[in-house]
Amino acid sequence: MKNIVLLGGGPEQVDAIKISKALGYHTIVLDSNEFAIGRKLSNKFIQCDITNPSEVLKNIENLNVNGLMVHAIELSHVVAEVSEKLGLPNISKNTAINTTDKLKRLEILKKNHIPCPEFSSATNLTEAKKIAKNIGFPVVIKPVDNAGSRGVIQIKNSEKMEQYFDESLTFCKSKKEIIVEEYLTGPQVSTETVVYQNKCYTTGFSDRNYSNLKKYEPYFIEDGGDMPSNLPIETQKEAIRIAEKTIKTLGINFGAAKGDILIHNNIPYILEMASRTSGGRFASHQVPSATGVNILSSLLKMSVSDPIDVEEFKPKFYRGSSQRYILPPPGKIVSVTGVEEARKIEGVIDIILSDDLKPGTIITNMKNHTDRKGIIITVGETRNDATEKAVRARDLINVKMR
């Protein structure tokens, strides 16, 4: 039996843990939270700081590990560094850093003439205001090294930059530096790609739902997504071509690559390309329900050097699938009702609620994707069918506030 280490034992990682065990691997889960849900699902659980490569290595170097993987957490740099030291398959440490640091990634894209927003970086307010003026308002500011839309804010003028710059800066992790980039408009899509034997297999392509963009301004709160895409086929093909070119340019030659792409004036622009799987149950729920393709199984096998059949990446069917989030207004939760009724709707695959979606919780204004309080995933014969079911299920769930 092969030993595989999975970084993270939270709710998002449950599916990867279950699939790993179903494949017959001895599944070792690491998490900083001693009460992580993955603890009881794993074969072995180790509490440690999974953001620290040295800590991870110290805890697993004597366990005869055959593979190391992370799902839906921005820790590919940790996996790459530890894998390199243990001689396990993965991308290089340098590639992982370049795909985690948003500034380095943009610099590589620009150097290689891959469409991306105009940008520069700032360490203080004066620099940020000057850059924004040169690019032209509105602009977007974001930390160089965070995820989940933390600190991503639309800035319409110099006064707004003064108001929000420090807020965005607080979300920086390793260094206090903000990206100031051009604000582009147009439909957005999520892509999910696996690189196997130096070939890209893009298995997920979903239209991102930003129908409430104005409501949550200046923050960017995505309310799920829909498959299949409504974009013209030629536009989809071009977006995938650009995504896969970006993956190769960044040096991602193994494993997962998650892309966020915006179509501006019919040109696909790369907003994000990370060397990891998507969060939000895109890889684990939505893509499998729409196409029958579950890349978690393939990635787990790749991580321990087991062979895979590329047929695994080919759709088994074509259905509609949708995600919608529970986004309560600010206030104090009095009650949460209607969840079981929503679960009974035909086509509802899963409803996953945050642990704090309960009476007494104080809800603040939605500022990033970590503030969302639950997700509904549905399947239908068509995209419209799936979307209607997702919205109906979401509307049945009544979060009463005061």
Side-chain angles (χ1 to χ4, degrees):
M1 179 183 289
K2 290 190 174 181
N3 296 321
I4 187 168
V5 171
L6 301 183
L7 298 188
E12 281 255 48
Q13 287 72 56
V14 164
D15 290 280
I17 297 169
K18 288 180 177 178
I19 293 171
S20 176
K21 291 183 69 177
L23 288 169
Y25 301 139
H26 186 262
T27 305
I28 305 164
V29 174
L30 275 60
D31 200 290
S32 58
N33 177 12
E34 64 175 314
F35 303 110
I37 188 173
R39 180 175 196 138
K40 62 183 179 182
L41 300 173
S42 64
N43 294 113
K44 181 178 178 63
F45 179 84
I46 300 172
Q47 181 188 6
C48 74
D49 180 4
I50 61 174
T51 68
N52 186 325
S54 298
E55 279 293 302
V56 172
L57 180 62
K58 180 178 71 174
N59 279 281
I60 69 171
E61 59 185 339
N62 296 319
L63 297 180
N64 190 29
V65 175
N66 301 104
L68 180 62
M69 184 179 139
V70 65
H71 166 53
I73 313 177
E74 193 78 275
L75 290 177
S76 63
H77 59 295
V78 176
V79 174
E81 182 173 336
V82 177
S83 294
E84 187 176 280
K85 290 179 178 178
L86 294 178
L88 303 174
N90 214 274
I91 57 174
S92 72
K93 178 182 174 182
N94 188 57
T95 293
I97 291 172
N98 288 341
T99 54
T100 302
D101 186 308
K102 298 175 189 291
L103 180 59
K104 289 183 178 180
R105 179 172 61 209
L106 283 168
E107 290 171 343
I108 293 170
L109 299 188
K110 184 177 181 180
K111 180 181 178 181
N112 288 276
H113 309 291
I114 291 175
C116 63
E118 185 180 347
F119 69 95
S120 191
S121 67
T123 56
N124 59 62
L125 177 60
T126 301
E127 288 178 345
K129 290 168 72 172
K130 182 178 179 181
I131 293 166
K133 185 177 180 180
N134 289 337
I135 291 176
F137 290 104
V139 296
V140 177
I141 59 173
K142 61 180 68 172
V144 298
D145 58 356
N146 214 321
S149 81
R150 297 174 180 89
V152 181
I153 306 171
Q154 181 189 161
I155 304 295
K156 290 187 174 181
N157 51 49
S158 184
E159 290 73 24
K160 293 295 183 183
M161 184 70 81
E162 293 175 3
Q163 180 180 350
Y164 291 107
F165 179 82
D166 285 343
E167 179 180 332
S168 183
L169 200 67
T170 62
F171 286 97
C172 294
K173 295 191 289 187
S174 60
K175 55 183 176 179
K176 296 294 183 181
E177 189 172 12
I178 291 296
I179 296 171
V180 182
E181 71 178 32
E182 176 185 14
Y183 177 64
L184 300 174
T185 58
Q188 295 189 42
V189 297
S190 294
T191 62
E192 195 89 47
T193 303
V194 176
V195 185
Y196 180 62
Q197 295 181 343
N198 290 312
K199 185 173 181 180
C200 291
Y201 298 89
T202 296
T203 62
F205 193 97
S206 174
D207 292 342
R208 306 178 75 185
N209 176 31
Y210 278 105
S211 58
N212 290 319
L213 198 59
K214 287 291 183 183
K215 178 179 179 180
Y216 295 108
E217 198 175 279
Y219 306 101
F220 296 85
I221 306 298
E222 178 190 3
D223 186 10
D226 304 295
M227 294 180 68
S229 173
N230 272 342
L231 291 174
I233 295 300
E234 289 306 312
T235 303
Q236 294 184 45
K237 289 180 179 179
E238 179 62 9
I240 291 173
R241 186 188 73 80
I242 292 294
E244 295 184 352
K245 179 181 178 182
T246 301
I247 289 166
K248 292 178 180 179
T249 300
L250 290 170
I252 305 173
N253 59 4
F254 177 91
K258 166 214 173 297
D260 294 336
I261 302 173
L262 186 147
I263 313 301
H264 178 69
N265 293 336
N266 294 319
I267 298 173
Y269 285 74
I270 300 295
L271 300 182
E272 303 279 347
M273 185 59 74
S275 51
R276 61 174 175 87
T277 51
S278 293
R281 273 72 178 193
F282 182 53
S284 62
H285 287 66
Q286 188 178 20
V287 176
S289 66
T291 67
V293 177
N294 192 326
I295 63 170
L296 293 182
S297 177
S298 305
L299 290 168
L300 287 160
K301 287 185 281 187
M302 288 169 57
S303 296
V304 297
S305 301
D306 279 350
I308 63 172
D309 186 340
V310 295
E311 292 293 316
E312 295 179 24
F313 302 130
K314 294 183 179 180
K316 313 301 183 293
F317 44 75
Y318 295 92
R319 298 172 181 160
S321 183
S322 290
Q323 301 167 308
R324 287 296 182 271
Y325 283 91
I326 297 172
L327 305 167
K332 185 175 184 179
I333 298 179
V334 175
S335 63
V336 180
T337 59
V339 176
E340 293 312 310
E341 290 85 346
R343 291 189 194 278
K344 293 175 183 176
I345 294 176
E346 183 182 359
V348 171
I349 295 170
D350 208 347
I351 296 177
I352 304 161
L353 306 179
S354 299
D355 290 339
D356 61 350
L357 188 69
K358 59 185 179 181
T361 297
I362 303 296
I363 302 294
T364 57
N365 289 322
M366 295 282 159
K367 293 187 176 183
N368 60 64
H369 291 162
T370 66
D371 293 330
R372 300 178 298 198
K373 296 303 176 185
I375 184 171
I376 297 108
I377 305 108
T378 61
V379 66
E381 289 302 313
T382 65
R383 168 188 167 126
N384 288 344
D385 181 31
T387 301
E388 184 275 331
K389 290 172 179 175
V391 172
R392 182 152 51 98
R394 194 259 314 276
D395 291 347
L396 270 176
I397 300 172
N398 180 27
V399 183
K400 187 177 180 181
M401 312 292 293
R402 72 175 178 198

